[in-house]
């Protein structure tokens, strides 16, 4: 197994041992924030009482409404002066959710994203074109910094302007892209319009996500471009892209369990579901220092895929999302 870093090749016992130590530190760090100090006290929960992963169920959940109620900075665990970046949701349904990062947090996020990219076959010799929007949306900058961390020549193309995208792809012999699947299918029509076949380009890998799409759409995209397209999962509350990613087996997305504690629970009861059963994904950051987020209810429905992946990585895989439990 060819790995970007040592954490990628951890065994299940090593992952469990690492997680409990990092969970305890994350709880202690979170308790420095006004929100979690109050939440833990209200729940009668003592962070020092967590000694094993079996204790996780006693930790209070965090919801999107909690993040909104804490706007703009009620969940910071370090002084405002230590923060170097913030990202936010669109806020179209009300108060936006805001996530802050220290420089250490950003470096860690970039390393996780570089790990994802290495896993699917990208290397420092690749030319990578990022066709995602930049700004408060986490996808653009998260993947951009990951590509640079990996050492790729990185083209921050941004979204839209299809003719320019094609010119960049062609002139700079791009080998890897980040693109929304619906836009990839649209862009192919522009290729046809100007009489070019993307299969004649050196392009070989696409990172896709940010919207739901079918396995059939993925297959069509791969056929049209002559590439491999890899699914990803991310959410701004857990940094953004790089939370879970497919390997070259293209059969489920590996959650980086040295960085995140993932649970699948019954959305009605909050209790764990059996291995392989569908439920709500609950996530905890295990290393973020500026704004830890503990047992966050994503409302995304998925399941852990049973068995170890043929790629050899022991980090558990989650299935494609099966909708949301609040929709």
């Amino acid at each position: 197994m060819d790995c970007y870093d040592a954490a990628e090749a951890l065994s299940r016992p090593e992952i469990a041992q690492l997680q409990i130590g990092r969970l305890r530190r994350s709880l202690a760090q979170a308790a420095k924030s006004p929100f979690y100090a109050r939440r833990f006290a209200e729940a009668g929960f003592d962070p020092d009482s967590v000694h094993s992963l079996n204790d996780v169920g006693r930790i209070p959940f965090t919801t999107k409404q909690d993040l909104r109620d804490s706007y703009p900075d009620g969940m910071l665990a370090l002084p405002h002066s230590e923060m170097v970046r913030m990202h936010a949701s669109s806020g179209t349904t009300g108060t936006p959710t805001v996530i802050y990062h220290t420089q250490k947090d950003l470096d860690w996020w970039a390393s996780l994203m570089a790990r994802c990219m290495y896993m699917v076959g990208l290397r420092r010799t690749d030319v990578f074109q990022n066709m995602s929007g930049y700004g408060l949306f986490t996808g653009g900058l998260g993947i951009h910094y990951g590509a640079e961390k990996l050492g790729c020549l990185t083209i921050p193309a941004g979204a839209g302007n299809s003719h320019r995208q094609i010119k960049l792809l062609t002139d700079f012999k791009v080998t890897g892209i980040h693109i929304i699947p619906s836009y990839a299918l649209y862009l192919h029509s522009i290729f046809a319009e100007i009489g070019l076949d993307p299969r004649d380009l050196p392009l070989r890998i696409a990172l896709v996500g940010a919207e739901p799409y079918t396995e059939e759409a993925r297959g069509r995209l791969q056929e049209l471009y002559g590439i491999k397209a890899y699914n990803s999962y991310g959410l701004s509350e857990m940094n953004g892209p790089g939370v879970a990613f497919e390997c070259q087996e293209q059969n489920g997305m590996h959650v980086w369990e040295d960085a995140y504690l993932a649970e699948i629970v019954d959305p009605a009861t909050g209790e764990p579901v059996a291995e392989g059963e569908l439920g709500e994904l609950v996530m905890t950051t295990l290393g973020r220092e500026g704004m830890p987020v503990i047992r966050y209810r994503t409302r995304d429905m998925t399941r852990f895929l049973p068995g170890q992946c043929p790629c050899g990585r022991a980090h558990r895989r989650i299935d494609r999302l099966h909708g949301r439990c609040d929709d």
Side-chain angles (χ1 to χ4, degrees):
M1 180 173 55
D2 187 15
C3 294
Y4 176 74
D5 58 26
E8 194 176 343
L10 291 169
S11 66
R12 287 307 316 165
E14 289 170 332
I15 288 171
Q17 183 177 11
L18 182 149
Q19 282 189 319
I20 187 58
R22 290 190 175 178
L23 175 61
R24 285 174 54 82
R25 288 196 296 273
S26 292
L27 288 170
Q29 183 70 6
K32 298 176 184 178
S33 75
F35 169 77
Y36 281 114
R38 184 175 64 254
R39 173 57 56 87
F40 292 165
E42 289 172 350
F45 170 73
D46 179 3
D48 289 336
S49 68
V50 172
H51 299 290
S52 79
L53 294 178
N54 293 329
D55 295 327
V56 169
R58 297 191 292 103
I59 305 171
F61 288 116
T62 305
T63 67
K64 183 175 284 289
Q65 190 60 48
D66 291 329
L67 269 70
R68 287 175 173 153
D69 291 345
S70 300
Y71 179 90
D73 54 12
M75 292 182 75
L76 289 186
L78 288 174
H80 209 279
S81 59
E82 296 294 312
M83 305 302 140
V84 299
R85 171 97 62 80
M86 61 81 76
H87 283 281
S89 68
S90 63
T92 53
T93 57
T95 303
T97 59
V98 176
I99 302 294
Y100 292 84
H101 303 272
T102 65
Q103 187 59 57
K104 182 179 175 183
D105 294 337
L106 291 180
D107 292 343
W108 183 51
W109 180 14
S111 293
L112 290 173
M113 195 61 239
R115 187 194 295 178
C116 297
M117 298 172 78
Y118 191 95
M119 179 170 62
V120 301
L122 289 163
R123 297 293 183 268
R124 67 182 314 276
T125 51
D126 280 294
V127 179
F128 187 81
Q129 186 165 326
N130 192 6
M131 302 186 195
S132 174
Y134 285 70
L136 292 175
F137 170 62
T138 57
L141 283 166
I143 287 182
H144 179 103
Y145 278 87
E148 289 188 341
K149 181 76 172 179
L150 187 57
C152 300
L153 172 60
T154 305
I155 303 173
N161 200 336
S162 299
H163 286 86
R164 185 183 66 177
Q165 299 283 9
I166 291 173
K167 182 171 177 55
L168 291 170
L169 286 165
T170 304
D171 293 351
F172 294 94
K173 298 178 173 57
V174 172
T175 53
I177 58 174
H178 173 218
I179 192 166
I180 293 172
S182 59
Y183 181 62
L185 294 172
Y186 168 76
L187 188 65
H188 188 271
S189 70
I190 306 301
F191 269 105
E193 203 175 272
I194 61 179
L196 290 178
D197 188 341
R199 292 173 296 185
D200 294 333
L201 300 178
L203 186 63
R204 58 192 184 86
I205 291 172
L207 314 183
V208 293
E211 65 183 12
Y213 65 103
T214 64
E215 193 61 33
E216 289 74 20
R218 190 239 291 261
R220 177 156 174 74
L221 194 157
Q222 292 186 144
E223 180 184 351
L224 290 173
Y225 283 84
I227 58 173
K228 287 290 188 180
Y230 293 97
N231 294 333
S232 64
Y233 175 75
L235 63 165
S236 61
E237 294 84 1
M238 294 293 117
N239 290 344
V243 174
F245 225 87
E246 279 187 327
C247 64
Q248 293 182 19
E249 296 291 329
Q250 294 180 300
N251 183 24
M253 296 173 285
H254 291 276
V255 178
W256 298 127
E257 295 183 272
D258 58 311
Y260 305 102
L261 179 65
E263 308 167 66
I264 307 266
V265 305
D266 183 319
T269 67
E271 294 298 315
V273 300
E275 184 79 8
E277 285 190 11
L278 195 65
E280 180 186 355
L281 181 63
V282 174
M283 301 287 292
T284 297
T285 60
L286 292 180
R288 195 158 67 201
E289 59 178 14
M291 185 178 159
V293 178
I294 308 299
R295 294 199 84 201
Y296 180 71
R297 299 193 67 155
T298 69
R299 313 309 285 177
D300 290 326
M301 297 292 288
T302 186
R303 65 189 181 103
F304 287 126
L305 295 178
Q308 185 164 332
C309 182
C311 78
R313 292 171 182 83
H315 295 263
R316 285 187 295 182
R317 294 167 295 153
I318 57 171
D319 200 0
R320 278 175 165 272
L321 298 189
H322 293 255
R324 292 177 58 81
C325 56
D326 58 355
D327 183 2

